[in-house]
Amino acid sequence: MNRVMANRIETVIESLSRGAPVLVSRLQYLGDVILTLPLAYAIKQRFPKCDIDYLSKRPGAELLDPESAIRAVHRVPDPGEGVAATVRLIRRLRERRFALAIDLLSNPRSAFLIWATGARFRLGGTRRVRRHLYTHTVHVPADIRSSAAHHLYYLNTLGIDADIQKPRITVSPEESRRARVLLDGLGVNVAKQKVGIHPGGKWEVKRWPVASFASLAAGLKARLGAEVVVFRGPGEGGEFTDRLRNSLGNGAAYLPELSVRDAAAVMGELSAGVYCDGGAMHLSVAVGTPTVGIFGSSEPDVWFPYERFGPFRAAYVPVACRPCHSHFCDHLTCLEGLEVEAVERLVIGVLEQGSSSAGAADSG
């Protein structure tokens, strides 16, 4: 590191120590946004006087808006909102006079917005031409596997060596009340154990077969007397629900499509959740509900750093071709080979662990 860069780093550390604001940006994908929260916690712990703002698209911006670790959320305009909305966003960002801006996506749009903030110190990746929009680039070593650890590595530039903390999403009492009203209206018996599932997902290589979810739901109802609550993701309309009903039957409660905050509140009322690798899985963990995440082509080591924090388990089969990180596959052995009984055992395990943790907390 040359002397000029060392002086810049020393200056930004002094500014943050005095309370200068920080901007953290991860523009897209709900699960990825949640996995950046440990970085925000680490900044706040090292520089308790500084305010942390967040820059993201929907639904990440909507999720983080009330969170105590984040002072303010700046939503990136939707495509149909026009250039004027982006100009207004940039004006608001520049008014904040950030001492530090961190781009955890480093795509062309995020790099431009970070540059446009005018922040004195801008951290980002090493990709192509856009690296010139940062004052300092970060090359994360290949042996850092976890996505959350990958983000935290950016802070090494500031001399912060932080460990991963569990992401936390706080649900308000009013949001919880609305969730209970919704579940009651669907006929869910709140006195029973309640297990949420979401058989959907953007990519087929991340979706456990609906028939497997149906068998899991039937087993949980038969063995535990559990209520099964089915989530529906963005764009998964009535046809999707009809297909689920054909497989799962009418013994489950089918939720309408919910906002991300309302989905978090419902998850917070459940006893456990079983979700494919994606936003719903991360959201369930973040609200503290015992969770089983189902993995196909992707890696738990990268996307599921949660098992050490409580009743959270990853379900996968170690087939020879995984992880392939592909979005398409002609055999899906990694998902079709995942036995329902194995997932059911994990669900029962996290339910028991969650009950034990709750009992210990109550007695304490």
Side-chain angles (χ1 to χ4, degrees):
M1 181 187 302
N2 61 43
R3 187 60 196 165
V4 172
M5 182 55 66
N7 287 339
R8 282 184 179 178
I9 293 173
E10 184 177 337
T11 299
V12 75
I13 289 174
E14 291 176 355
S15 297
L16 296 176
S17 297
R18 293 193 299 268
V22 176
L23 179 68
V24 176
S25 174
R26 174 74 199 199
L27 290 195
Q28 58 195 33
Y29 304 124
L30 183 62
D32 293 339
V33 169
I34 291 171
L35 284 168
T36 67
L37 290 177
L39 175 138
Y41 305 152
I43 294 173
K44 193 65 175 177
Q45 287 177 351
R46 174 61 179 83
F47 303 107
K49 292 182 180 180
C50 79
D51 287 328
I52 300 173
D53 288 18
Y54 204 100
L55 176 67
S56 188
K57 297 179 181 179
R58 303 178 199 266
E62 295 166 337
L63 174 66
L64 297 181
D65 191 40
E67 289 306 308
S68 59
I70 308 298
R71 186 205 72 93
V73 177
H74 305 274
R75 182 179 65 81
V76 176
D78 296 332
E81 294 183 70
V83 174
T86 299
V87 172
R88 289 192 294 270
L89 168 65
I90 291 173
R91 186 179 299 121
R92 290 194 302 273
L93 293 173
R94 293 186 69 86
E95 288 173 352
R96 290 287 289 142
R97 298 183 179 275
F98 295 109
L100 169 66
I102 304 175
D103 184 0
L104 297 172
L105 179 60
S106 296
N107 75 358
R109 191 177 192 187
S110 66
F112 167 74
L113 289 172
I114 289 295
W115 171 80
T117 66
R120 298 191 297 275
F121 198 81
R122 303 185 298 275
L123 284 175
T126 58
R127 297 180 181 179
R128 302 175 186 169
V129 176
R130 71 198 76 155
R131 68 181 184 271
H132 298 294
L133 298 177
Y134 310 118
T135 61
H136 188 83
T137 57
V138 179
H139 177 75
V140 181
D143 61 345
I144 295 181
R145 305 292 298 142
S146 164
S147 176
H150 185 282
H151 300 326
L152 287 170
Y153 187 83
Y154 276 55
L155 299 182
N156 284 9
T157 304
L158 303 176
I160 302 174
D161 183 13
D163 197 8
I164 299 171
Q165 300 179 55
K166 188 184 89 65
R168 303 179 300 275
I169 295 297
T170 304
V171 176
S172 72
E174 174 58 22
E175 288 171 325
S176 295
R177 185 196 66 80
R178 291 201 306 266
R180 290 191 294 271
V181 169
L182 175 60
L183 291 172
D184 182 67
L186 293 172
V188 175
N189 186 340
V190 297
K192 293 184 176 182
Q193 290 184 315
K194 302 171 291 298
V195 179
I197 64 172
H198 177 223
K202 184 175 181 180
W203 303 107
E204 185 182 23
V205 292
K206 289 190 173 186
R207 295 196 297 265
W208 201 35
V210 171
S212 297
F213 268 110
S215 295
L216 175 68
L220 293 174
K221 289 177 70 67
R223 291 170 179 78
L224 303 178
E227 297 273 26
V228 176
V229 179
V230 183
F231 286 82
R232 188 168 80 186
E236 296 171 349
E239 181 181 344
F240 176 79
T241 301
D242 290 342
R243 292 201 309 270
L244 290 180
R245 287 185 187 276
N246 289 336
S247 296
L248 297 173
N250 292 321
Y254 294 87
L255 294 165
E257 184 175 332
L258 302 174
S259 72
V260 65
R261 293 292 311 181
D262 286 341
V266 171
M267 290 175 178
E269 296 299 314
L270 302 180
S271 309
V274 184
Y275 308 104
C276 300
D277 174 26
M281 176 190 76
H282 296 285
L283 188 57
S284 179
V285 172
V287 298
T289 298
T291 302
V292 174
I294 292 179
F295 285 82
S297 65
S298 55
E299 294 177 84
D301 286 349
V302 176
W303 301 110
F304 201 85
Y306 305 129
E307 294 195 346
R308 67 170 115 163
F309 298 117
F312 315 114
R313 297 291 179 269
Y316 61 96
V317 289
V319 296
C321 58
R322 72 167 304 278
C324 67
H325 303 289
S326 174
H327 288 161
F328 304 97
C329 181
D330 57 4
H331 58 82
L332 297 176
T333 304
C334 57
L335 290 166
E336 293 175 355
L338 180 58
E339 296 180 352
V340 173
E341 293 77 10
V343 177
E344 184 178 296
R345 286 194 296 270
L346 289 175
V347 175
I348 293 172
V350 298
L351 282 168
E352 291 175 348
Q353 186 179 355
S355 297
S356 298
S357 300
D362 290 341
S363 63

